[in-house]
Amino acid sequence: SLRAHTTDGNPLFVEESLKMILHSDMVRDTGTRYEAVEQFTEQGIPHTLQGSLMARLDNLGECKQLAQLAAIAGRRFDADLLLKVSRLQKDVFDLQLRQLIEADLILPVDPDNQEYQFRHALLQDIAYQSLLRSKRREFHQRFAEILESDYAERISQRPEVLARHYAEAASPEKAIPLWHQAREMAIRRS
């Protein structure tokens, strides 16, 4: 059993640690219950929630990059935009998206509008932080370019989204005017 000091009473950490054990070689599903295959210790269990989440992310295989791209988009994201940014074939994208749902990393929020979100903000943070800074910039740039070209109407209502991507892509010359536009819109709304 997991001791309280290992999970520090954090429900998400308890859940993640149990998922890791259940999907490992340490237990066997008999159909009615789980049985230990062998005596195991807590050695194979990450000692931090971040370690546990990183281990889950690393076990995704080809889906890991899609999870990382989704993290660039934000906690909640649009599948159509993610498909364009990923540059994956539609059938490969759909398969990987399904695998992320089955891995319980993302949830459909509004399936009719193809909107999804990370099950927990920490999952998004871990996926985002697992990218090299240069890759993050590249992906933010890709998001910005696609948002600007294909989602102009949406961006006209929320220029701060495009500004954030340009800022993270190290393009302050494009981000600053958008931040000003977002500020002016916020002042008018208030």
Side-chain angles (χ1 to χ4, degrees):
S1 71
L2 292 172
R3 291 186 298 228
H5 74 275
T6 303
T7 60
D8 202 24
N10 183 321
L12 180 61
F13 193 19
V14 172
E15 182 181 335
E16 290 300 320
S17 296
L18 287 173
K19 280 182 186 176
M20 195 176 94
I21 291 169
L22 293 175
H23 292 97
S24 72
D25 296 341
M26 295 184 256
V27 294
R28 174 181 52 239
D29 183 359
T30 65
T32 57
R33 64 189 181 120
Y34 289 97
E35 292 179 351
V37 173
E38 58 188 57
Q39 192 70 11
F40 66 90
T41 65
E42 293 180 14
Q43 276 183 332
I45 301 170
H47 292 283
T48 65
L49 178 55
Q50 286 80 3
S52 177
L53 296 175
M54 184 56 82
R56 279 191 62 208
L57 187 63
D58 287 340
N59 289 332
L60 288 175
E62 293 178 350
C63 297
K64 181 178 178 179
Q65 186 169 0
L66 188 61
Q68 292 168 320
L69 278 173
I72 297 280
R75 171 118 192 253
R76 190 170 180 161
F77 57 91
D78 175 276
D80 184 54
L81 173 60
L82 190 61
L83 171 63
K84 290 177 182 180
V85 172
S86 73
R87 299 178 179 163
L88 293 170
Q89 296 294 321
K90 175 86 168 105
D91 57 333
V92 173
F93 175 83
D94 289 341
L95 174 66
Q96 289 187 10
L97 190 66
R98 242 186 345 272
Q99 289 173 334
L100 291 175
I101 293 168
E102 289 167 5
D104 205 24
L105 292 175
I106 64 170
L107 306 165
V109 176
D110 185 355
D112 295 335
N113 291 320
Q114 291 290 300
E115 288 185 21
Y116 297 85
Q117 80 175 29
F118 280 89
R119 189 173 62 81
H120 196 281
L122 283 175
L123 288 166
Q124 182 211 352
D125 288 345
I126 294 295
Y128 187 85
Q129 295 301 324
S130 69
L131 280 164
L132 294 174
R133 192 169 294 153
S134 60
K135 273 298 197 191
R136 265 189 253 157
R137 282 191 188 124
E138 176 189 329
F139 292 150
H140 276 291
Q141 182 69 35
R142 213 185 293 175
F143 267 101
E145 290 168 356
I146 290 172
L147 282 168
E148 200 166 34
S149 67
D150 296 359
Y151 296 89
E153 185 177 324
R154 185 188 307 179
I155 292 306
S156 69
Q157 302 301 311
R158 300 205 45 223
E160 68 278 4
V161 173
L162 185 56
R164 180 181 68 87
H165 285 297
Y166 274 129
E168 294 294 334
S171 297
E173 70 285 351
K174 292 185 176 187
I176 291 171
L178 290 162
W179 285 123
H180 286 294
Q181 184 182 351
R183 184 193 74 178
E184 292 300 318
M185 289 176 74
I187 290 170
R188 281 195 302 270
R189 281 189 219 126
S190 67

